[in-house]
Amino acid sequence: MSPEVFLIAGTRPEAIKLAPVAAAMRAAGRLTPVLVASGQHPTMVTQALDAFDVQADVTLPLQRVTGSQPELLTAMISSLDALLEERRPAAVVVQGDTTTTLAGAMAAFWRRIPVVHLEAGLRSGDLDSPFPEEANRKLVGQLAALHLAPTALAATNLLDESIAPANVLITGNTVVDAALSIAAREMPFEDSRIAAAVDAAAHGEARLVLVTAHRRESWGEPLDRILAAVRRLIEAYPDIRVVLPAHANPAVRDQVEAGLAGVPRVTITDPLPYPALARLLSNAYLTLTDSGGIQEEAPSFKVPALVLREVTERVESLHAGCAKLVGTDEDLIVAEAARLLDDPALRDSMTANGNPYGDGLASHRTEQAVAALLGLAMHPAPMPSTVAA
């Protein structure tokens, strides 16, 4: 029996980024992946894993009363500790910077089980943005035995914090693996409005613009400015169609509905299943987004991103030119979107150098790195610094 490795997911992005790792471990046969759903967002984790035709091997019970971060963290640590005592895996893989990530790392560290941090080294330099994620990932960085950085810059951030170079490997981001595999399946859309928009884009009858504004920092007045920019773009460009998956929060959904009421060629949807979102992005001309995941995935589909944030820890896409930071300034959003809509050659040039976040092999490097940590393989070569288009 090959050693068990826990892959702990509590949110949709974690599930999406860990599913390819589980597949790579199963394919290699050296490790037994155990997908653990922490209970943070159980429905969304289940839906995300469904896209890859897998299920969580263990789903932890989690009772929430106040919904506070302290309540969530302590409940997850308690449940994870009991599971780790019962099964004693050879290693624990946590991803990113959520409360689940911190809980998984702390529980494993206290049990002296090696912690592998996937997507390690992201830093904004500001503990208030994103909050509390910046603190979470820095704390996990102090506990991990192996740091799997998505990019050279992320690796440099870790080295600057005195992490031993031998414990840092550049793998690329597994979200690229996930997005490419899921989009290639071209699963049908459940929403006929989205299907119509994508069909129009595929036949050259329209240009598709994907808009997402989910972060709490975007709610309220910033979101009003984003919606105002969308209205102006729709008015100025008769050939564009906008798809906007709204946040599940009723107040945010109401704000989106009110801000775009009566505006033609805009489709407002519920949060989309990952296969639908990946396929939608792959057919987009442009995306306006505050999503880190979309910022990472878009270059693989040659879709430029205008980032609706004042600061981003994913600066590699800014350096590569495939994304531009525009914040929530209405005039700047309109101006930068107009440049790309007016000049298709400029739009194409933004993504001509490929995706700085990965080449689709990150999950295989992750499997090799964990196997090497456990003495089952040679240490893998890092991702090439330049990814071909």
Side-chain angles (χ1 to χ4, degrees), residues 301-317:
F301 302 118
K302 301 188 181 302
V303 178
L306 297 182
V307 183
L308 305 173
R309 296 182 63 191
E310 303 302 327
V311 62
T312 179
E313 56 275 39
R314 292 170 173 84
V315 297
E316 294 88 347
S317 56

Side-chain angles (χ1 to χ4, degrees), residues 2-3 5 7 15-35 52 54 93 118 148 171 174 177-178 181 360-371 377:
S2 55
V5 174
L7 311 177
I16 289 167
K17 294 178 181 184
L18 287 169
V21 176
M25 288 181 175
R26 285 192 293 270
R30 292 180 286 206
L31 304 167
T32 299
V34 179
L35 282 164
F52 298 89
V54 296
V93 179
L118 185 64
L148 302 182
T171 58
T174 59
D177 306 28
S181 65
L361 299 174
S363 56
H364 297 288
R365 293 190 190 95
T366 298
E367 185 279 332
Q368 292 168 356
V370 177

Side-chain angles (χ1 to χ4, degrees), residues 210 281 284-289 294-295 298-299 301-307 321-324 340 344 346-351:
L210 172 63
L281 177 61
Y285 181 92
L286 167 68
T287 181
L288 313 178
T289 184
I294 288 179
Q295 192 175 332
F301 302 118
K302 301 188 181 302
V303 178
L306 297 182
V307 183
C322 50
K324 189 162 188 176
L340 299 176
L346 175 63
R347 178 258 186 190
D348 293 342
S349 70
M350 282 186 68
T351 58

Side-chain angles (χ1 to χ4, degrees), residues 42 131 265:
F131 180 88
R265 291 176 281 116

Side-chain angles (χ1 to χ4, degrees), residues 125-159:
D126 183 355
L127 286 175
D128 289 326
S129 180
F131 180 88
E133 289 85 358
E134 177 75 357
N136 289 345
R137 54 197 176 211
K138 293 189 73 172
L139 290 167
V140 174
Q142 301 305 306
L143 305 177
L146 178 61
H147 307 257
L148 302 182
T151 65
L153 178 58
T156 299
N157 290 337
L158 293 164
L159 299 179

Side-chain angles (χ1 to χ4, degrees), residues 26 40 107 115 119 139 146-147 182 204 214 237 260 269 277 289 297 342 372 375:
R26 285 192 293 270
Q40 183 173 352
V115 175
E119 197 176 2
L139 290 167
L146 178 61
H147 307 257
I182 290 294
H214 291 164
Y237 295 91
L260 296 176
T269 76
L277 184 63
T289 184
E297 296 160 352
D342 290 338

Side-chain angles (χ1 to χ4, degrees), residues 175-316:
V175 77
V176 176
D177 306 28
L180 291 173
S181 65
I182 290 294
R185 294 165 63 181
E186 294 191 346
M187 298 173 66
F189 294 105
E190 296 180 2
D191 190 323
S192 61
R193 300 171 302 163
I194 299 177
V198 169
D199 185 67
H203 289 86
E205 299 167 0
R207 289 183 290 179
L208 185 61
V209 178
L210 172 63
V211 180
T212 71
H214 291 164
R215 291 182 181 271
R216 288 183 180 273
E217 64 203 63
S218 300
W219 297 359
E221 290 184 9
L223 181 54
D224 281 335
R225 295 193 291 269
I226 294 168
L227 299 175
V230 170
R231 292 196 301 269
R232 288 171 58 184
L233 290 169
I234 283 287
E235 183 177 353
Y237 295 91
D239 69 323
I240 67 171
R241 291 195 181 193
V242 171
V243 177
L244 195 161
H247 195 280
N249 182 293
V252 179
R253 177 62 178 261
D254 289 346
Q255 184 180 356
V256 171
E257 296 277 6
L260 296 176
V263 179
R265 291 176 281 116
V266 175
T267 300
I268 301 169
T269 76
D270 293 332
L272 294 175
Y274 185 64
L277 184 63
R279 187 180 173 196
L280 182 61
L281 177 61
S282 72
N283 283 275
Y285 181 92
L286 167 68
T287 181
L288 313 178
T289 184
D290 63 359
S291 163
I294 288 179
Q295 192 175 332
E296 295 160 345
E297 296 160 352
S300 290
F301 302 118
K302 301 188 181 302
V303 178
L306 297 182
V307 183
L308 305 173
R309 296 182 63 191
E310 303 302 327
V311 62
T312 179
E313 56 275 39
R314 292 170 173 84
V315 297
E316 294 88 347

